[in-house]
Amino acid sequence: MSEYSLVERPILDWLCGEEPATYETRRSGLVGGLGWTYRDETAMAAYGRPLEDPLVERILVEKLKAINEDVETDAQAMMAVAALRKAMMHPDKLTANRQTLELLRDGAKLQLTPGADATTVRFIEFDPEKQDINDFTATNQYRIQG
């Protein structure tokens, strides 16, 4: 009996679908599951995420541009990432959790172009017809330092 077989594997199966041998880094060939993508430690390392950063910025920036037609550049996407980081780093953890959840649920009101009206930048695509745009990653032993 191990933590992997009793806890991690059943959750990964539930999120990503059952794969008899090993998980793949894409959804194809998986049976069932909620459509999450499994990425092992090697796949996660390819994104160059510093251990002290809980966000995988490369995936987040790419998906912000895919979900939001008004977000055209990496710099504009980084404005939304900065808003998310600010919420996550609030000194009061309850406030940090609340503000982060609100951003994930409702999006961030940002002025993407100087002089333009503020636009709501969404972090998650909730439209059932477009939910394949999202990238929900499942991994085990996701390490964060600090």
Side-chain angles (χ1 to χ4, degrees):
M1 298 291 192
S2 70
E3 184 176 324
Y4 178 78
S5 63
L6 292 174
V7 179
E8 293 177 23
R9 180 65 191 248
I11 292 172
L12 292 173
D13 288 347
W14 176 58
L15 294 173
C16 304
E18 294 182 41
E19 183 74 9
T22 60
Y23 288 102
E24 300 296 328
T25 57
R26 288 298 335 149
R27 294 179 179 92
S28 62
L30 297 177
V31 178
L34 297 177
W36 288 49
T37 300
Y38 177 77
R39 291 183 171 96
D40 63 15
E41 190 172 356
T42 303
M44 293 302 293
Y47 291 102
R49 177 189 65 89
L51 282 179
E52 59 277 356
D53 188 357
L55 299 177
V56 183
E57 203 170 271
R58 284 179 43 197
I59 295 174
L60 183 54
V61 166
E62 173 191 332
K63 292 305 174 177
L64 284 168
K65 292 189 303 186
I67 291 168
N68 301 279
E69 64 183 36
D70 293 331
V71 178
E72 299 172 347
T73 67
D74 287 359
Q76 289 174 327
M78 288 303 294
M79 292 169 66
V81 172
L84 184 61
R85 284 188 195 286
K86 181 179 178 185
M88 291 170 61
M89 298 307 293
H90 193 283
D92 176 60
K93 297 304 178 195
L94 182 59
T95 301
N97 285 340
R98 185 176 293 123
Q99 289 177 353
T100 300
L101 175 60
E102 287 171 2
L103 284 174
L104 293 175
R105 184 189 62 219
D106 303 328
K109 284 283 239 187
L110 301 170
Q111 187 180 30
L112 297 174
T113 307
D117 291 338
T119 300
T120 299
V121 176
R122 294 174 291 118
F123 292 91
I124 300 172
E125 178 56 70
F126 288 106
D127 181 348
E129 300 297 318
K130 299 178 183 176
Q131 285 185 354
D132 61 319
I133 297 172
N134 294 314
D135 186 328
F136 296 115
T137 294
T139 190
N140 47 334
Q141 306 300 323
Y142 188 74
R143 297 183 298 144
I144 300 174
Q145 195 172 52

